[in-house]
Amino acid sequence: MEDPGDLVIRVVEVKGRCPAYEAGDTFRIERGFMLNSEKPLCMHSLASLLPYYVALSRRISPKDLGLCREGDEAFLQCLDPCGHTGGGTALFAVRREGAGE
């Protein structure tokens, strides 16, 4: 079986007031399971990634997972319902790189 590739997670947009992220921030999931970030991460964002990170790191198409209409980036959103909490929600683009690319 092919080794999993790294995932690069980029903050595309923030709605409301997010205390953790700004548009353009990035972090990585390396080798299919190792989280790497230069700044603290929000648990809400990790919860939105958990169901998909293994499949995406193993080349399952984001489109087949229902996470995009076209292309090779998956789109996920953090779970904070900002309209009801006064917080913010972040939209993430997730792309795979490495391991045989």
Side-chain angles (χ1 to χ4, degrees):
M1 177 180 286
E2 176 186 356
D3 288 335
D6 296 347
L7 297 178
V8 177
I9 299 95
R10 178 177 47 88
V11 179
V12 175
E13 177 183 1
V14 173
K15 294 180 183 177
R17 184 188 54 78
C18 176
Y21 301 116
E22 296 177 4
D25 287 347
T26 62
F27 58 97
R28 300 171 67 86
I29 299 174
E30 297 172 344
R31 296 179 18 207
F33 67 96
M34 294 175 55
L35 196 55
N36 187 342
S37 177
E38 293 182 9
K39 64 186 279 186
L41 300 176
C42 173
M43 293 301 292
H44 291 138
S45 65
L46 297 181
S48 68
L49 292 165
L50 283 173
Y52 304 106
Y53 78 95
V54 171
L56 291 169
S57 71
R58 296 205 177 266
R59 265 193 224 275
I60 304 299
S61 163
K63 185 176 178 182
D64 290 346
L65 294 170
L67 301 176
C68 69
R69 291 184 193 158
E70 58 186 39
D72 59 359
E73 285 188 313
F75 291 91
L76 301 166
Q77 186 170 327
C78 98
L79 302 178
D80 186 337
C82 63
H84 298 280
T85 65
T89 188
L91 176 66
F92 303 96
V94 182
R95 68 176 168 78
R96 183 184 188 278
E97 67 177 23
E101 299 254 308

